[in-house]
Amino acid sequence: GKEEWYESYAGPVWRDGKVVAVNITTLEITEKTITEEALQESNRLLEVVTGNMSDLVAICDSDFVFTYVSPSYTHILGYSPEDLLGKAIYELAHETELASIVQQLEDGREKKLPGAFAVHRLRNKSGDYLWFETKAKALYDDEGKPMGAEFNLREITDRKKTEDLLQESEERYQAFF
């Protein structure tokens, strides 16, 4: 009563230019099939969850190259996940903040910090910059070696503009009095 999966390969056996038999090799792949189906379901659920998020989620390897990018990158920055996979996260950073971001990531890796928080700008696909607050969490393997990092980003451009206007207003008020 147990369902099993098999994979078969067939090929001709030739003798004197004629097919005289068929060689069939069959492999039992039940466990492999069950594992693949579970992985597909897990990936589907991940896409459902991250696809409806207004925040950005990314995972990078130890060289800070994107290995996962949530679908929300398309809505917020204009990049599809395929546009970014295999590219370094530094490629999106504002040039005046790049050195600081690199230093913060390197410090986190060297000191094995569990996480970090930053406010910075990223370039969208049309070339404009948006402000983000980012929470990062370092990822380590079972031996404690850095594997990369997971990033959660929230777009705060409107809030940042309002804060800047408020600061300018306060500075004008202080200068007046």
Side-chain angles (χ1 to χ4, degrees):
K2 180 178 138 186
E3 186 175 281
E4 294 180 341
W5 289 86
Y6 294 90
E7 189 172 72
S8 297
Y9 302 93
V13 176
W14 296 87
R15 188 172 294 139
D16 298 326
K18 296 181 183 178
V19 175
V20 295
V22 176
N23 182 12
I24 299 175
T25 304
T26 301
L27 303 170
E28 192 272 328
I29 60 165
T30 304
E31 189 172 323
K32 175 185 169 196
T33 302
I34 291 170
T35 302
E36 286 174 352
E37 288 173 353
L39 179 60
Q40 286 175 351
E41 178 63 13
S42 178
N43 286 337
R44 189 188 68 75
L45 288 173
L46 177 64
E47 291 301 317
V48 166
V49 170
T50 59
N52 289 323
M53 293 176 61
S54 56
D55 289 351
L56 307 178
V57 176
I59 298 175
C60 295
D61 64 16
S62 59
D63 294 321
F64 301 109
V65 171
F66 288 112
T67 59
Y68 173 79
V69 177
S70 65
S72 51
Y73 271 79
T74 304
H75 309 304
I76 296 172
L77 288 174
Y79 299 104
S80 71
E82 294 77 24
D83 291 336
L84 297 175
L85 292 177
K87 295 190 177 172
I89 62 173
Y90 310 126
E91 293 182 33
L92 300 179
H94 192 277
E95 60 190 31
T96 62
E97 299 160 359
L98 183 58
S100 172
I101 290 170
V102 170
Q103 187 63 51
Q104 192 172 14
L105 291 170
E106 293 297 331
D107 286 349
R109 180 170 41 198
E110 287 176 22
K111 297 174 184 173
K112 293 196 174 195
L113 299 175
F117 179 83
V119 174
H120 57 89
R121 289 172 283 182
L122 294 178
R123 185 183 65 252
N124 66 17
K125 197 165 186 174
S126 63
D128 298 320
Y129 285 89
L130 302 176
W131 282 96
F132 291 86
E133 59 183 19
T134 299
K135 293 179 184 178
K137 180 179 181 195
L139 302 174
Y140 300 97
D141 66 14
D142 293 339
E143 297 172 4
K145 294 178 186 170
M147 290 181 11
E150 181 259 336
F151 298 91
N152 290 291
L153 299 88
R154 177 162 292 162
E155 197 256 326
I156 60 164
T157 303
D158 290 340
R159 184 178 91 196
K160 185 76 169 135
K161 286 178 183 177
T162 302
E163 289 171 355
D164 290 347
L165 289 172
L166 179 60
Q167 183 177 351
E168 287 176 23
S169 175
E170 287 177 2
E171 288 171 0
R172 282 195 311 269
Y173 178 79
Q174 292 295 329
F176 183 73
F177 290 102

